[in-house]
């Protein structure tokens, strides 16, 4: 098991440059950094090559996260939006591969966060989502990339809210590089049992996000980490466990994640770093790896 952190912990915008964080997370002891792929198509090839080299130099594995915009929704009822989504993903995956990234996770099958001012068509969005993911899976596979479909809570997406729904979706897609992704923050809202949800995903679990119920770093709250660790060991999970804390207000990240109060008691960067380092030690101990 490899342990990582989403660099957005320190940032306010998905567009923030992620290159400089590689050295920082390596110094904190992480194996993995997750970067936002939302704006990766704006990076030059030279920039991507330098980032790849920095990852090699610092012995860090990169993974990618993305919340596709409404205009790039692979499940849109509008065929032109679906086509724009496919083109966006092909370009994004091509650039992601330049960083040797093997895992991209998020609501790839839909868009994020969902606009609930419009009527919801769960069945239609799910059917188009299956088709959309099926349509980009081979392209990703040829680049050596796994598409990890994140199960989100009801307030952020309507298509997949539980591990069981995630597994059924992945089975309908039926491609070996399309996997389920779980996140303890969302599981805490939707699942009856953390352990059962992880066992339901089983060998289809491709990526795992961690965070407390209020998205503080693991170890600061009341998520049942011991139960989660036992279940991950039981399914022989060998993928990445990426903590995804969101604790600062402000910017697009603060508003997309609905962070309306400072959850750090005014922590400066050194204290934020220390919290991440302590949480990593806690995560390795309780989850394994
Ligand atoms: O859990 C999440 C949203 O609540 C997601 O992992 C990411 O934040 C989103 O896909 C943006 O990368
Ligand atoms: Mn997540």
């Amino acid at each position: 098991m490899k342990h990582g952190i989403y660099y957005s912990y320190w940032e306010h915008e998905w567009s923030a440059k992620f290159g400089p964080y590689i050295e920082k997370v390596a110094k904190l002891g992480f194996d993995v950094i997750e970067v936002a792929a939302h704006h990766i198509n704006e990076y030059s090839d030279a920039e991507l090559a330098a980032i790849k080299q920095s990852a090699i130099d610092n012995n860090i594995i990169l993974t990618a996260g993305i919340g596709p915009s409404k205009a790039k929704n692979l499940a849109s009822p509008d065929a032109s939006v679906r086509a724009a989504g496919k083109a966006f993903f092909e370009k994004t995956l091509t650039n992601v591969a330049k960083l040797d990234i093997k895992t991209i996770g998020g609501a790839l099958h839909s868009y994020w966060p969902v606009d609930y001012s419009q009527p919801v068509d769960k069945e239609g969005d799910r059917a188009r989502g299956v088709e959309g993911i099926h349509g980009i899976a081979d392209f990703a596979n040829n680049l050596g990339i796994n598409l990890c479909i994140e199960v989100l809570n009801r307030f952020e997406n309507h298509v997949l809210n539980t591990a069981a729904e995630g597994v059924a979706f992945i089975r309908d897609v039926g491609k070996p590089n399309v996997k389920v992704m779980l996140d303890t923050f969302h599981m805490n809202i939707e699942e009856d049992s953390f352990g059962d949800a992880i066992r339901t995903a089983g060998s289809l679990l491709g990526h795992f996000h961690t965070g407390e119920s209020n998205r503080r770093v693991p170890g600061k709250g009341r998520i049942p980490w011991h139960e989660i660790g036992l279940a991950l060991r039981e399914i022989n999970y060998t993928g990445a466990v990426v903590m995804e804390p969101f604790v600062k207000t402000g910017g697009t990240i603060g508003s997309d994640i609905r962070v309306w109060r400072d959850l750090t008691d005014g922590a400066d960067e050194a204290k934020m770093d220390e919290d991440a380092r302590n949480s990593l030690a806690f995560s390795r101990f309780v989850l394994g790896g």
Side-chain angles (χ1 to χ4, degrees):
M1 204 183 290
K2 303 274 184 209
H3 286 269
I5 185 165
Y6 203 173
Y7 87 120
S8 49
Y9 173 58
W10 291 279
E11 283 293 348
H12 297 291
E13 297 298 332
W14 305 114
S15 58
K17 294 284 182 192
F18 47 72
Y21 285 95
I22 291 174
E23 209 182 318
K24 182 188 191 70
V25 306
K27 281 190 180 139
L28 290 173
F30 288 94
D31 314 306
V32 174
I33 185 169
E34 187 146 313
V35 302
H38 307 59
H39 295 274
I40 200 168
N41 298 338
E42 292 154 26
Y43 285 62
S44 69
D45 276 355
E47 249 177 315
L48 293 175
I51 292 169
K52 182 181 165 180
Q53 190 55 49
S54 167
I56 293 167
D57 295 344
N58 286 286
N59 203 19
I60 287 286
I61 298 163
L62 277 82
T63 58
I66 192 160
S69 71
K70 198 174 182 179
K72 307 283 161 55
N73 179 7
L74 285 176
S76 170
D78 180 336
S80 68
V81 173
R82 293 201 297 278
K86 188 165 196 259
F88 168 76
F89 268 106
E90 290 183 351
K91 197 167 179 199
T92 300
L93 291 168
T94 301
N95 284 320
V96 157
K98 291 177 189 163
L99 294 175
D100 248 345
I101 289 176
K102 308 288 181 212
T103 301
I104 183 166
L108 314 176
H109 61 294
S110 183
Y111 74 104
W112 179 87
V114 166
D115 169 13
Y116 286 126
S117 67
Q118 306 299 312
V120 163
D121 172 14
K122 175 160 172 160
E123 218 179 301
D125 288 345
R126 185 192 186 279
R128 287 183 294 268
V130 167
E131 201 183 311
I133 293 297
H134 192 270
I136 61 167
D138 288 347
F139 188 92
N141 203 29
N142 289 336
L143 295 166
I145 298 173
N146 279 346
L147 303 175
C148 297
I149 311 299
E150 190 171 13
V151 174
L152 299 171
N153 78 73
R154 65 189 68 188
F155 304 107
E156 297 182 41
N157 197 272
H158 53 289
V159 183
L160 305 174
N161 295 145
T162 64
E165 287 184 315
V167 166
F169 183 95
I170 265 68
R171 290 205 197 284
D172 283 357
V173 173
K175 293 281 183 183
N177 64 319
V178 178
K179 311 257 187 190
V180 183
M181 169 174 173
L182 297 177
D183 177 324
T184 61
F185 167 75
H186 302 293
M187 294 167 83
N188 178 60
I189 295 172
E190 301 293 348
E191 304 286 359
D192 292 321
S193 153
F194 284 85
D196 286 350
I198 290 167
R199 284 185 288 271
T200 296
S203 60
L204 293 176
L205 186 66
H207 200 48
F208 197 70
H209 270 173
T210 57
E212 292 291 353
S213 58
N214 51 16
R215 304 203 105 157
R216 284 192 216 266
V217 295
K220 279 186 184 268
R222 53 185 165 72
I223 293 289
W225 296 109
H226 183 61
E227 175 186 346
I228 292 166
L230 285 177
L232 290 174
R233 285 178 180 95
E234 219 175 295
I235 67 162
N236 292 316
Y237 182 68
T238 54
V241 171
V242 172
M243 64 175 74
E244 191 190 29
F246 292 106
V247 287
K248 288 280 189 194
T249 60
T252 313
I253 296 181
S255 94
D256 281 351
I257 300 289
R258 318 290 192 233
V259 186
W260 310 125
R261 65 195 165 97
D262 179 19
L263 285 121
T264 71
D265 299 323
D268 60 9
E269 194 175 338
K271 177 72 171 79
M272 294 272 290
D273 291 358
E274 190 192 320
D275 282 353
R277 194 189 292 108
N278 289 339
S279 179
L280 172 60
F282 172 82
S283 300
R284 285 199 199 278
F285 176 71
V286 77
L287 303 179

